Amino acid sequence: MFRFNRTVTLQTRVPFNRRMLSSAEALSNMKRSGLLKECGIINGEERTSATTFEVFNPASQAIIARVPDLNLADLDEAIAGSETAFAQLRRTTGFERAAMLQKWNELMLKHSEELATIITLENGKPIAEARGEVAYAASFLSWFAGEAPRVYGDVLAPSNALNRALAIKQPVGVVGMITPWNFPAAMITRKVAAALAAGCTSVVKPDASTPLTAIALAKLALEAGVPSGALNVVPVSRDGAAEVGKKLSIDRRVRKLSFTGSTAVGKLLMQQSASSLKKLSLELGGNAPFIVFDDVPDVAAAAAAAAVSKFRSSGQTCVCANRIFVQSSIYDEFVERLTDIAQGFTVGEGFAEGITHGPLIDERALAKVERHVADAAALGGEILVGGTRTAIDIGPNFYQPTVISGATSAMAIAGEETFGPVAGIFKFEDEDEVVREANSVDAGLASYVMSRDVSRVFRVAERLDFGMVGVNTGLISDCAVPFGGVKDSGFGREGSKFGIDEYLSVKAITFGGVGLL
């Protein structure tokens, strides 16, 4: 029998025993600490610009920083610097690169509270959750430090008896990286750590909503001994993002592009990259099914796992449960359990005591949530809890965690990724039906199965057209487990022993005339 993972909140290695700060106090402290920097990082130097863009606290809409809006000339310099750094980095040993990554990991953990504070300021997630992200982000540095010395090749057996052959793995070169706002630390370390472990250099364009975390991480990387130019951070406003993405796609000096974001943008980057035939990793949108069969040993535990998957980061993760399928015989009990959990959440500003859920990132995100809820209600869905913005005095981007029963495939929440705190619960009768419904979307990132039947779990997991399957748990992200999808959710894997291969190319070396006659 499988056991359920009953963990409802992310755990963090940072003890939570500090006085809660206001956003204003936190911002003041960070500016004094020196880790919150309003600059880009190019070839080891801070880069400023006469043109800037504003970074907002999504909870209060207060301006927390004005960051230089770097241009194509800055990006060109960053690429050139990374190309120069690559010529040196590729000659280092895996052990040397491992030492850099371990030092960076140590510095991240040493400064975990400052990093978590920056994340909460610019992303809005509660401080406890931000601390959890910092620990998760640091784990990739430690993991790939272990992988760096283990980039193995192979001895081959050619068909010609006179020949001998080897296959070796070499770093691909300069890597362009475009990272999202929802995990501003972890999405950088998951990519950059693998690249550095392989011997590659990186040019990172962070999302315009959350550039401060990327800048802070780059400062710590330099302190850890990562060579100048091996990690460049080029902040760009939302208006300039498209031309920077195109430049990273078409520039032949950039030999790989790694992107996490929407499917539409991923497809555009892939089209643009065709001109330079670079290697790609695309981690795109999701629409995760969360399937609960009626043989679960504990309906309450299944509801708790669904709550973790659905409402973590206020539903703003690509692996969130987007469609919760529950078998008819336990449907009513499950709905009641999940509703009780959602009613216990507390929405508010991330530094306030007792807050479980922060704001959505911006007005556009909130508008999509409101559209999905209104559509579900119009098509017969019953809103059991939530369904509205929070009180206006909390802030403009807050939305109550919402549970909707009676969800159907005709609703927008079935076909689109909500990316917000809305749980639509669908009823199903049998296994074939739910697998068919789960696979009916174009996305194929994460999926979840809740059952005590080992045969059913294996059968359904193999039939689901998704890159990841969580069994009896709502949390599947781990540095040791490959992360990635299929279909319109992209290709390539991050993390795990497979993640470093995305930054390596295989070279065959054949020796002629050395065999015995």
Side-chain angles (χ1 to χ4, degrees):
M1 180 189 300
F2 286 106
R3 293 187 179 274
F4 283 103
N5 180 343
R6 293 175 175 268
T7 304
V8 177
T9 57
L10 284 176
Q11 299 299 309
T12 172
R13 286 178 278 180
V14 181
F16 181 49
N17 56 6
R18 304 167 182 84
R19 182 181 71 85
M20 300 303 293
L21 301 176
S22 68
S23 290
E25 288 177 312
L27 180 59
S28 177
N29 288 347
M30 287 311 306
K31 288 186 173 180
R32 287 197 300 271
S33 76
L35 202 54
L36 191 154
K37 307 291 290 187
E38 297 171 300
C39 64
I41 303 293
I42 296 180
N43 301 329
E45 301 292 334
E46 296 182 5
R47 176 63 56 90
T48 59
S49 170
T51 305
T52 63
F53 63 95
E54 296 169 337
V55 179
F56 296 91
N57 181 335
S60 64
Q61 292 300 288
I63 298 171
I64 58 176
R66 289 178 173 85
V67 175
D69 189 3
L70 300 186
N71 56 34
L72 292 182
D74 297 306
L75 178 61
D76 189 77
E77 188 176 342
I79 294 171
S82 284
E83 189 177 37
T84 299
F86 173 65
Q88 298 176 339
L89 189 68
R90 70 183 304 175
R91 292 197 296 267
T92 60
T93 68
F95 292 97
E96 291 171 311
R97 298 193 295 274
M100 287 188 294
L101 288 167
Q102 284 291 18
K103 180 61 177 176
W104 191 10
N105 171 61
E106 293 167 6
L107 287 172
M108 272 198 72
L109 296 178
K110 177 182 177 181
H111 294 280
S112 59
E113 190 65 15
E114 296 102 308
L115 291 169
T117 300
I118 293 174
I119 291 171
T120 295
L121 282 169
E122 65 178 352
N123 170 279
K125 64 180 63 176
I127 186 65
E129 195 168 322
R131 289 171 182 144
E133 181 184 344
V134 173
Y136 176 53
S139 74
F140 288 104
L141 303 179
S142 180
W143 173 266
F144 283 110
E147 291 296 299
R150 296 178 176 83
V151 177
Y152 301 131
D154 223 331
V155 177
L156 309 177
S159 58
N160 187 332
L162 297 179
N163 291 351
R164 297 292 182 267
L166 304 174
I168 64 172
K169 295 181 179 180
Q170 294 184 301
V172 296
V174 177
V175 181
M177 299 178 178
I178 302 175
T179 59
W181 51 263
N182 58 337
F183 286 89
M187 296 302 96
I188 288 177
T189 58
R190 194 163 72 184
K191 298 176 189 293
V192 174
L196 284 173
C200 296
T201 56
S202 304
V203 178
V204 177
K205 188 210 81 66
D207 190 272
S209 296
T210 56
L212 301 174
T213 303
I215 297 164
L217 289 173
K219 296 292 288 184
L220 293 178
L222 288 169
E223 186 178 343
V226 174
S228 297
L231 172 55
N232 290 319
V233 174
V234 183
V236 180
S237 67
R238 204 166 299 282
D239 290 340
E243 65 176 9
V244 167
K246 183 177 181 180
K247 172 70 172 175
L248 290 173
S249 301
I250 66 176
D251 195 305
R252 299 190 67 83
R253 295 170 297 175
V254 179
R255 296 312 308 148
K256 176 183 170 63
L257 181 64
S258 178
F259 170 71
T260 297
S262 72
T263 296
V265 174
K267 289 181 176 180
L268 175 61
L269 292 171
M270 186 172 180
Q271 290 173 347
Q272 292 173 166
S273 296
S275 64
S276 60
L277 287 178
K278 56 175 49 67
K279 194 170 185 177
L280 293 172
S281 293
L282 301 175
E283 195 262 284
L284 309 178
N287 189 337
F290 193 102
I291 303 171
V292 185
F293 288 100
D294 60 8
D295 63 354
V296 291
D298 187 339
V299 175
V308 170
S309 178
K310 172 69 259 182
F311 293 111
R312 184 166 61 108
S313 294
S314 295
Q316 299 176 114
T317 85
C318 54
V319 294
C320 275
N322 202 61
R323 298 165 294 153
I324 301 177
F325 296 99
V326 182
Q327 203 155 15
S328 59
S329 61
I330 60 169
Y331 185 87
D332 291 341
E333 181 183 356
F334 181 93
V335 168
E336 181 180 355
R337 298 282 191 178
L338 186 61
T339 301
D340 287 345
I341 293 171
Q343 287 174 332
F345 292 146
T346 304
V347 179
E349 194 270 335
F351 294 104
E353 188 172 0
I355 294 300
T356 60
H357 293 78
L360 298 181
I361 191 65
D362 56 30
E363 178 65 31
R364 292 179 302 169
L366 192 142
K368 185 177 185 180
V369 167
E370 289 189 315
R371 176 172 63 84
H372 278 197
V373 172
D375 173 79
L379 293 175
E382 183 180 0
I383 300 173
L384 302 176
V385 62
T388 62
R389 299 188 186 206
T390 55
I392 194 64
D393 58 348
I394 297 179
N397 294 332
F398 291 91
Y399 199 88
Q400 292 285 3
T402 299
V403 176
I404 301 175
S405 66
T408 70
S409 60
M411 298 175 180
I413 57 174
E416 301 176 14
E417 184 180 25
T418 303
F419 228 67
V422 180
I425 311 179
F426 301 72
K427 184 183 295 185
F428 75 92
E429 298 296 334
D430 60 50
E431 182 180 309
D432 287 340
E433 173 196 355
V434 75
V435 170
R436 184 172 60 251
E437 287 297 316
N439 288 338
S440 66
V441 297
D442 292 329
L445 190 59
S447 58
Y448 304 85
V449 179
M450 312 296 284
S451 172
R452 75 161 75 190
D453 186 330
V454 176
S455 297
R456 168 178 275 166
V457 164
F458 272 97
R459 188 169 60 244
V460 173
E462 291 177 3
R463 294 176 67 191
L464 288 171
D465 294 333
F466 294 82
M468 298 174 285
V469 183
V471 177
N472 295 337
T473 180
L475 289 174
I476 59 175
S477 297
D478 188 298
C479 66
V481 177
F483 192 103
V486 297
K487 300 193 296 188
D488 276 12
S489 290
F491 47 80
R493 293 298 180 265
E494 295 186 332
S496 82
K497 69 175 185 178
F498 302 104
I500 197 169
D501 286 337
E502 299 291 335
Y503 299 90
L504 296 165
S505 60
V506 178
K507 176 182 287 184
I509 303 175
T510 301
F511 300 83
V514 297
L516 296 176
L517 293 176

